[in-house]
Amino acid sequence: MFDATTILAYRGKNKSVIGGDGQVTFGDSVLKGNATKIRTLYHGKILAGFAGSTADAFNLFDMFEEFLENKKGDLLKSVVEFSKAWRKDKVLRRLEAMMIVLNKEHIFILTGNGDVVEPEDGEIASIGSGGNFAISAARALKKHASLDEEDLVKESLHIAADLCIYTNHNIKTLILEDA
């Protein structure tokens, strides 16, 4: 069983940011400390991150990018069609991964059960082993600190890394800025 990752995304007023740590574990061993679990999709207009099996996630990224191309980058239409395909396909349903995808207008969590979840506040989402730590920190920092979107994501992930044994401090972020 792979336990790994904390991914946090924040769709703020000025920027959309996704961040993730670099730790990949197998059982009680760290396999890699500097993995990249976030990427840009659809000509740099969509941010995405994954938690779960790396091989499964790369297959899902590729498949999701096809949906984005077919829907001309429309994130809402793409996640709905993607989730239908994921849910219906017997092979895909066995994939052990979750994804967060966002742009400047939307943020979604996609699961292997075919779920499409838009966060209640429409701004902050997390997945992975340290996801609950990261989202708690992000909500508190958003309410009580004056940080820009990228700093909020980084600091929240560092807090999660202090608490979750499957999360490290090798934090990477990607940003979509308003023009």
PDB file of all heavy atoms in Angstrom, residues 6-38:
ATOM      1  N   THR A   6       0.718  15.094   0.368  1.00  0.00           N
ATOM      2  CA  THR A   6      -0.264  16.087   0.760  1.00  0.00           C
ATOM      3  C   THR A   6      -0.324  17.072  -0.391  1.00  0.00           C
ATOM      4  O   THR A   6       0.701  17.630  -0.790  1.00  0.00           O
ATOM      5  CB  THR A   6       0.142  16.801   2.059  1.00  0.00           C
ATOM      6  OG1 THR A   6       0.271  15.820   3.087  1.00  0.00           O
ATOM      7  CG2 THR A   6      -0.912  17.811   2.476  1.00  0.00           C
ATOM      8  N   ILE A   7      -1.511  17.253  -0.923  1.00  0.00           N
ATOM      9  CA  ILE A   7      -1.754  18.227  -1.985  1.00  0.00           C
ATOM     10  C   ILE A   7      -2.761  19.235  -1.446  1.00  0.00           C
ATOM     11  O   ILE A   7      -3.784  18.860  -0.872  1.00  0.00           O
ATOM     12  CB  ILE A   7      -2.322  17.562  -3.256  1.00  0.00           C
ATOM     13  CG1 ILE A   7      -1.379  16.487  -3.795  1.00  0.00           C
ATOM     14  CG2 ILE A   7      -2.653  18.614  -4.326  1.00  0.00           C
ATOM     15  CD1 ILE A   7      -0.058  16.983  -4.313  1.00  0.00           C
ATOM     16  N   LEU A   8      -2.460  20.515  -1.642  1.00  0.00           N
ATOM     17  CA  LEU A   8      -3.346  21.589  -1.197  1.00  0.00           C
ATOM     18  C   LEU A   8      -3.506  22.577  -2.346  1.00  0.00           C
ATOM     19  O   LEU A   8      -2.519  22.957  -2.982  1.00  0.00           O
ATOM     20  CB  LEU A   8      -2.753  22.307   0.023  1.00  0.00           C
ATOM     21  CG  LEU A   8      -3.548  23.489   0.571  1.00  0.00           C
ATOM     22  CD1 LEU A   8      -4.877  23.036   1.174  1.00  0.00           C
ATOM     23  CD2 LEU A   8      -2.726  24.247   1.597  1.00  0.00           C
ATOM     24  N   ALA A   9      -4.738  22.970  -2.612  1.00  0.00           N
ATOM     25  CA  ALA A   9      -5.020  23.947  -3.661  1.00  0.00           C
ATOM     26  C   ALA A   9      -5.854  25.080  -3.089  1.00  0.00           C
ATOM     27  O   ALA A   9      -6.719  24.865  -2.236  1.00  0.00           O
ATOM     28  CB  ALA A   9      -5.761  23.278  -4.814  1.00  0.00           C
ATOM     29  N   TYR A  10      -5.560  26.275  -3.566  1.00  0.00           N
ATOM     30  CA  TYR A  10      -6.256  27.476  -3.097  1.00  0.00           C
ATOM     31  C   TYR A  10      -6.574  28.355  -4.301  1.00  0.00           C
ATOM     32  O   TYR A  10      -5.682  28.777  -5.026  1.00  0.00           O
ATOM     33  CB  TYR A  10      -5.369  28.217  -2.098  1.00  0.00           C
ATOM     34  CG  TYR A  10      -5.936  29.503  -1.536  1.00  0.00           C
ATOM     35  CD1 TYR A  10      -7.300  29.691  -1.355  1.00  0.00           C
ATOM     36  CD2 TYR A  10      -5.083  30.530  -1.156  1.00  0.00           C
ATOM     37  CE1 TYR A  10      -7.801  30.871  -0.820  1.00  0.00           C
ATOM     38  CE2 TYR A  10      -5.577  31.711  -0.609  1.00  0.00           C
ATOM     39  CZ  TYR A  10      -6.934  31.871  -0.455  1.00  0.00           C
ATOM     40  OH  TYR A  10      -7.424  33.041   0.076  1.00  0.00           O
ATOM     41  N   ARG A  11      -7.854  28.592  -4.504  1.00  0.00           N
ATOM     42  CA  ARG A  11      -8.311  29.477  -5.568  1.00  0.00           C
ATOM     43  C   ARG A  11      -8.632  30.817  -4.921  1.00  0.00           C
ATOM     44  O   ARG A  11      -9.710  31.044  -4.397  1.00  0.00           O
ATOM     45  CB  ARG A  11      -9.549  28.887  -6.243  1.00  0.00           C
ATOM     46  CG  ARG A  11      -9.918  29.546  -7.551  1.00  0.00           C
ATOM     47  CD  ARG A  11     -11.155  28.926  -8.160  1.00  0.00           C
ATOM     48  NE  ARG A  11     -12.311  29.063  -7.293  1.00  0.00           N
ATOM     49  CZ  ARG A  11     -13.015  30.187  -7.126  1.00  0.00           C
ATOM     50  NH1 ARG A  11     -12.661  31.291  -7.743  1.00  0.00           N
ATOM     51  NH2 ARG A  11     -14.068  30.210  -6.322  1.00  0.00           N
ATOM     52  N   GLY A  12      -7.631  31.679  -4.904  1.00  0.00           N
ATOM     53  CA  GLY A  12      -7.751  32.958  -4.222  1.00  0.00           C
ATOM     54  C   GLY A  12      -8.256  34.068  -5.129  1.00  0.00           C
ATOM     55  O   GLY A  12      -8.619  33.843  -6.284  1.00  0.00           O
ATOM     56  N   LYS A  13      -8.232  35.277  -4.608  1.00  0.00           N
ATOM     57  CA  LYS A  13      -8.717  36.442  -5.360  1.00  0.00           C
ATOM     58  C   LYS A  13      -7.786  36.813  -6.505  1.00  0.00           C
ATOM     59  O   LYS A  13      -8.239  37.231  -7.571  1.00  0.00           O
ATOM     60  CB  LYS A  13      -8.872  37.635  -4.422  1.00  0.00           C
ATOM     61  CG  LYS A  13     -10.017  37.488  -3.454  1.00  0.00           C
ATOM     62  CD  LYS A  13     -10.168  38.732  -2.587  1.00  0.00           C
ATOM     63  CE  LYS A  13     -11.405  38.584  -1.737  1.00  0.00           C
ATOM     64  NZ  LYS A  13     -11.191  38.591  -0.335  1.00  0.00           N
ATOM     65  N   ASN A  14      -6.486  36.688  -6.295  1.00  0.00           N
ATOM     66  CA  ASN A  14      -5.508  37.125  -7.290  1.00  0.00           C
ATOM     67  C   ASN A  14      -4.782  35.982  -7.990  1.00  0.00           C
ATOM     68  O   ASN A  14      -4.277  36.156  -9.088  1.00  0.00           O
ATOM     69  CB  ASN A  14      -4.463  38.034  -6.640  1.00  0.00           C
ATOM     70  CG  ASN A  14      -5.107  39.232  -5.991  1.00  0.00           C
ATOM     71  OD1 ASN A  14      -5.921  39.911  -6.588  1.00  0.00           O
ATOM     72  ND2 ASN A  14      -4.761  39.476  -4.728  1.00  0.00           N
ATOM     73  N   LYS A  15      -4.705  34.835  -7.340  1.00  0.00           N
ATOM     74  CA  LYS A  15      -3.964  33.702  -7.879  1.00  0.00           C
ATOM     75  C   LYS A  15      -4.682  32.409  -7.521  1.00  0.00           C
ATOM     76  O   LYS A  15      -5.324  32.310  -6.485  1.00  0.00           O
ATOM     77  CB  LYS A  15      -2.566  33.610  -7.262  1.00  0.00           C
ATOM     78  CG  LYS A  15      -1.662  34.792  -7.450  1.00  0.00           C
ATOM     79  CD  LYS A  15      -0.361  34.561  -6.688  1.00  0.00           C
ATOM     80  CE  LYS A  15       0.450  35.827  -6.567  1.00  0.00           C
ATOM     81  NZ  LYS A  15       1.633  35.626  -5.731  1.00  0.00           N
ATOM     82  N   SER A  16      -4.498  31.424  -8.388  1.00  0.00           N
ATOM     83  CA  SER A  16      -4.853  30.050  -8.057  1.00  0.00           C
ATOM     84  C   SER A  16      -3.536  29.311  -7.874  1.00  0.00           C
ATOM     85  O   SER A  16      -2.639  29.423  -8.722  1.00  0.00           O
ATOM     86  CB  SER A  16      -5.680  29.412  -9.166  1.00  0.00           C
ATOM     87  OG  SER A  16      -6.938  30.037  -9.266  1.00  0.00           O
ATOM     88  N   VAL A  17      -3.414  28.576  -6.774  1.00  0.00           N
ATOM     89  CA  VAL A  17      -2.149  27.922  -6.429  1.00  0.00           C
ATOM     90  C   VAL A  17      -2.418  26.476  -6.043  1.00  0.00           C
ATOM     91  O   VAL A  17      -3.388  26.177  -5.349  1.00  0.00           O
ATOM     92  CB  VAL A  17      -1.461  28.634  -5.236  1.00  0.00           C
ATOM     93  CG1 VAL A  17      -0.145  27.954  -4.888  1.00  0.00           C
ATOM     94  CG2 VAL A  17      -1.251  30.108  -5.534  1.00  0.00           C
ATOM     95  N   ILE A  18      -1.535  25.602  -6.482  1.00  0.00           N
ATOM     96  CA  ILE A  18      -1.551  24.218  -6.008  1.00  0.00           C
ATOM     97  C   ILE A  18      -0.147  23.903  -5.505  1.00  0.00           C
ATOM     98  O   ILE A  18       0.847  24.383  -6.063  1.00  0.00           O
ATOM     99  CB  ILE A  18      -2.008  23.227  -7.096  1.00  0.00           C
ATOM    100  CG1 ILE A  18      -2.335  21.864  -6.478  1.00  0.00           C
ATOM    101  CG2 ILE A  18      -0.981  23.109  -8.212  1.00  0.00           C
ATOM    102  CD1 ILE A  18      -3.181  20.990  -7.376  1.00  0.00           C
ATOM    103  N   GLY A  19      -0.090  23.139  -4.436  1.00  0.00           N
ATOM    104  CA  GLY A  19       1.199  22.757  -3.878  1.00  0.00           C
ATOM    105  C   GLY A  19       1.169  21.325  -3.405  1.00  0.00           C
ATOM    106  O   GLY A  19       0.104  20.780  -3.103  1.00  0.00           O
ATOM    107  N   GLY A  20       2.330  20.736  -3.345  1.00  0.00           N
ATOM    108  CA  GLY A  20       2.435  19.372  -2.855  1.00  0.00           C
ATOM    109  C   GLY A  20       3.820  19.121  -2.297  1.00  0.00           C
ATOM    110  O   GLY A  20       4.778  19.813  -2.624  1.00  0.00           O
ATOM    111  N   ASP A  21       3.891  18.129  -1.442  1.00  0.00           N
ATOM    112  CA  ASP A  21       5.185  17.737  -0.888  1.00  0.00           C
ATOM    113  C   ASP A  21       5.839  16.739  -1.829  1.00  0.00           C
ATOM    114  O   ASP A  21       5.265  16.368  -2.849  1.00  0.00           O
ATOM    115  CB  ASP A  21       5.004  17.141   0.512  1.00  0.00           C
ATOM    116  CG  ASP A  21       4.446  15.740   0.470  1.00  0.00           C
ATOM    117  OD1 ASP A  21       3.391  15.533  -0.167  1.00  0.00           O
ATOM    118  OD2 ASP A  21       5.058  14.833   1.053  1.00  0.00           O
ATOM    119  N   GLY A  22       7.022  16.286  -1.476  1.00  0.00           N
ATOM    120  CA  GLY A  22       7.772  15.411  -2.365  1.00  0.00           C
ATOM    121  C   GLY A  22       7.939  13.986  -1.898  1.00  0.00           C
ATOM    122  O   GLY A  22       8.658  13.207  -2.520  1.00  0.00           O
ATOM    123  N   GLN A  23       7.302  13.593  -0.803  1.00  0.00           N
ATOM    124  CA  GLN A  23       7.582  12.277  -0.216  1.00  0.00           C
ATOM    125  C   GLN A  23       6.728  11.173  -0.822  1.00  0.00           C
ATOM    126  O   GLN A  23       5.521  11.314  -0.956  1.00  0.00           O
ATOM    127  CB  GLN A  23       7.351  12.319   1.293  1.00  0.00           C
ATOM    128  CG  GLN A  23       7.742  11.024   1.988  1.00  0.00           C
ATOM    129  CD  GLN A  23       7.978  11.235   3.449  1.00  0.00           C
ATOM    130  OE1 GLN A  23       8.946  11.872   3.818  1.00  0.00           O
ATOM    131  NE2 GLN A  23       7.088  10.722   4.275  1.00  0.00           N
ATOM    132  N   VAL A  24       7.381  10.089  -1.168  1.00  0.00           N
ATOM    133  CA  VAL A  24       6.708   8.870  -1.606  1.00  0.00           C
ATOM    134  C   VAL A  24       7.175   7.757  -0.682  1.00  0.00           C
ATOM    135  O   VAL A  24       8.375   7.546  -0.512  1.00  0.00           O
ATOM    136  CB  VAL A  24       7.056   8.517  -3.070  1.00  0.00           C
ATOM    137  CG1 VAL A  24       6.417   7.190  -3.464  1.00  0.00           C
ATOM    138  CG2 VAL A  24       6.628   9.631  -4.004  1.00  0.00           C
ATOM    139  N   THR A  25       6.221   7.072  -0.076  1.00  0.00           N
ATOM    140  CA  THR A  25       6.561   5.985   0.841  1.00  0.00           C
ATOM    141  C   THR A  25       5.935   4.684   0.374  1.00  0.00           C
ATOM    142  O   THR A  25       4.936   4.664  -0.348  1.00  0.00           O
ATOM    143  CB  THR A  25       6.069   6.280   2.272  1.00  0.00           C
ATOM    144  OG1 THR A  25       4.664   6.497   2.245  1.00  0.00           O
ATOM    145  CG2 THR A  25       6.755   7.495   2.847  1.00  0.00           C
ATOM    146  N   PHE A  26       6.536   3.609   0.808  1.00  0.00           N
ATOM    147  CA  PHE A  26       5.997   2.269   0.599  1.00  0.00           C
ATOM    148  C   PHE A  26       6.110   1.560   1.930  1.00  0.00           C
ATOM    149  O   PHE A  26       7.212   1.296   2.412  1.00  0.00           O
ATOM    150  CB  PHE A  26       6.782   1.523  -0.481  1.00  0.00           C
ATOM    151  CG  PHE A  26       6.190   0.183  -0.811  1.00  0.00           C
ATOM    152  CD1 PHE A  26       5.042   0.097  -1.582  1.00  0.00           C
ATOM    153  CD2 PHE A  26       6.765  -0.980  -0.343  1.00  0.00           C
ATOM    154  CE1 PHE A  26       4.483  -1.133  -1.883  1.00  0.00           C
ATOM    155  CE2 PHE A  26       6.222  -2.218  -0.632  1.00  0.00           C
ATOM    156  CZ  PHE A  26       5.069  -2.296  -1.412  1.00  0.00           C
ATOM    157  N   GLY A  27       4.967   1.320   2.562  1.00  0.00           N
ATOM    158  CA  GLY A  27       4.990   0.759   3.909  1.00  0.00           C
ATOM    159  C   GLY A  27       5.630   1.752   4.857  1.00  0.00           C
ATOM    160  O   GLY A  27       5.236   2.904   4.925  1.00  0.00           O
ATOM    161  N   ASP A  28       6.686   1.309   5.551  1.00  0.00           N
ATOM    162  CA  ASP A  28       7.349   2.196   6.507  1.00  0.00           C
ATOM    163  C   ASP A  28       8.679   2.731   5.971  1.00  0.00           C
ATOM    164  O   ASP A  28       9.538   3.165   6.735  1.00  0.00           O
ATOM    165  CB  ASP A  28       7.552   1.501   7.851  1.00  0.00           C
ATOM    166  CG  ASP A  28       8.366   0.219   7.748  1.00  0.00           C
ATOM    167  OD1 ASP A  28       8.806  -0.125   6.633  1.00  0.00           O
ATOM    168  OD2 ASP A  28       8.559  -0.427   8.787  1.00  0.00           O
ATOM    169  N   SER A  29       8.833   2.710   4.642  1.00  0.00           N
ATOM    170  CA  SER A  29      10.066   3.204   4.031  1.00  0.00           C
ATOM    171  C   SER A  29       9.785   4.375   3.094  1.00  0.00           C
ATOM    172  O   SER A  29       8.803   4.362   2.351  1.00  0.00           O
ATOM    173  CB  SER A  29      10.740   2.103   3.203  1.00  0.00           C
ATOM    174  OG  SER A  29      11.092   1.018   4.030  1.00  0.00           O
ATOM    175  N   VAL A  30      10.677   5.356   3.133  1.00  0.00           N
ATOM    176  CA  VAL A  30      10.597   6.458   2.187  1.00  0.00           C
ATOM    177  C   VAL A  30      11.309   6.025   0.920  1.00  0.00           C
ATOM    178  O   VAL A  30      12.492   5.680   0.944  1.00  0.00           O
ATOM    179  CB  VAL A  30      11.241   7.745   2.754  1.00  0.00           C
ATOM    180  CG1 VAL A  30      11.258   8.849   1.705  1.00  0.00           C
ATOM    181  CG2 VAL A  30      10.514   8.198   4.013  1.00  0.00           C
ATOM    182  N   LEU A  31      10.590   6.010  -0.202  1.00  0.00           N
ATOM    183  CA  LEU A  31      11.194   5.632  -1.480  1.00  0.00           C
ATOM    184  C   LEU A  31      11.836   6.822  -2.175  1.00  0.00           C
ATOM    185  O   LEU A  31      12.842   6.686  -2.855  1.00  0.00           O
ATOM    186  CB  LEU A  31      10.140   5.042  -2.422  1.00  0.00           C
ATOM    187  CG  LEU A  31       9.525   3.721  -2.025  1.00  0.00           C
ATOM    188  CD1 LEU A  31       8.482   3.306  -3.048  1.00  0.00           C
ATOM    189  CD2 LEU A  31      10.600   2.646  -1.900  1.00  0.00           C
ATOM    190  N   LYS A  32      11.235   7.984  -2.003  1.00  0.00           N
ATOM    191  CA  LYS A  32      11.721   9.171  -2.686  1.00  0.00           C
ATOM    192  C   LYS A  32      11.259  10.392  -1.909  1.00  0.00           C
ATOM    193  O   LYS A  32      10.146  10.427  -1.401  1.00  0.00           O
ATOM    194  CB  LYS A  32      11.165   9.206  -4.115  1.00  0.00           C
ATOM    195  CG  LYS A  32      11.703  10.318  -4.973  1.00  0.00           C
ATOM    196  CD  LYS A  32      11.230  10.165  -6.411  1.00  0.00           C
ATOM    197  CE  LYS A  32      11.871  11.257  -7.260  1.00  0.00           C
ATOM    198  NZ  LYS A  32      11.582  11.108  -8.670  1.00  0.00           N
ATOM    199  N   GLY A  33      12.117  11.386  -1.817  1.00  0.00           N
ATOM    200  CA  GLY A  33      11.764  12.578  -1.066  1.00  0.00           C
ATOM    201  C   GLY A  33      11.520  13.808  -1.908  1.00  0.00           C
ATOM    202  O   GLY A  33      11.106  14.839  -1.390  1.00  0.00           O
ATOM    203  N   ASN A  34      11.749  13.708  -3.232  1.00  0.00           N
ATOM    204  CA  ASN A  34      11.609  14.897  -4.065  1.00  0.00           C
ATOM    205  C   ASN A  34      10.718  14.670  -5.286  1.00  0.00           C
ATOM    206  O   ASN A  34      10.953  15.221  -6.350  1.00  0.00           O
ATOM    207  CB  ASN A  34      12.986  15.407  -4.504  1.00  0.00           C
ATOM    208  CG  ASN A  34      13.716  14.411  -5.378  1.00  0.00           C
ATOM    209  OD1 ASN A  34      13.336  13.257  -5.481  1.00  0.00           O
ATOM    210  ND2 ASN A  34      14.785  14.866  -6.011  1.00  0.00           N
ATOM    211  N   ALA A  35       9.693  13.862  -5.133  1.00  0.00           N
ATOM    212  CA  ALA A  35       8.761  13.603  -6.236  1.00  0.00           C
ATOM    213  C   ALA A  35       7.956  14.858  -6.549  1.00  0.00           C
ATOM    214  O   ALA A  35       7.721  15.700  -5.685  1.00  0.00           O
ATOM    215  CB  ALA A  35       7.825  12.455  -5.862  1.00  0.00           C
ATOM    216  N   THR A  36       7.528  14.957  -7.781  1.00  0.00           N
ATOM    217  CA  THR A  36       6.649  16.052  -8.201  1.00  0.00           C
ATOM    218  C   THR A  36       5.267  15.475  -8.455  1.00  0.00           C
ATOM    219  O   THR A  36       5.105  14.613  -9.317  1.00  0.00           O
ATOM    220  CB  THR A  36       7.193  16.734  -9.475  1.00  0.00           C
ATOM    221  OG1 THR A  36       8.494  17.233  -9.189  1.00  0.00           O
ATOM    222  CG2 THR A  36       6.289  17.864  -9.918  1.00  0.00           C
ATOM    223  N   LYS A  37       4.290  15.954  -7.700  1.00  0.00           N
ATOM    224  CA  LYS A  37       2.937  15.413  -7.767  1.00  0.00           C
ATOM    225  C   LYS A  37       1.926  16.442  -8.240  1.00  0.00           C
ATOM    226  O   LYS A  37       0.730  16.242  -8.119  1.00  0.00           O
ATOM    227  CB  LYS A  37       2.540  14.889  -6.392  1.00  0.00           C
ATOM    228  CG  LYS A  37       3.518  13.864  -5.858  1.00  0.00           C
ATOM    229  CD  LYS A  37       3.261  13.607  -4.411  1.00  0.00           C
ATOM    230  CE  LYS A  37       4.480  13.020  -3.745  1.00  0.00           C
ATOM    231  NZ  LYS A  37       4.324  12.943  -2.316  1.00  0.00           N
ATOM    232  N   ILE A  38       2.433  17.541  -8.768  1.00  0.00           N
ATOM    233  CA  ILE A  38       1.572  18.593  -9.305  1.00  0.00           C
ATOM    234  C   ILE A  38       2.041  18.913 -10.721  1.00  0.00           C
ATOM    235  O   ILE A  38       3.205  18.695 -11.054  1.00  0.00           O
ATOM    236  CB  ILE A  38       1.596  19.864  -8.434  1.00  0.00           C
ATOM    237  CG1 ILE A  38       3.026  20.382  -8.256  1.00  0.00           C
ATOM    238  CG2 ILE A  38       0.936  19.591  -7.074  1.00  0.00           C
ATOM    239  CD1 ILE A  38       3.133  21.709  -7.526  1.00  0.00           C
TER     240      ILE A  38
END
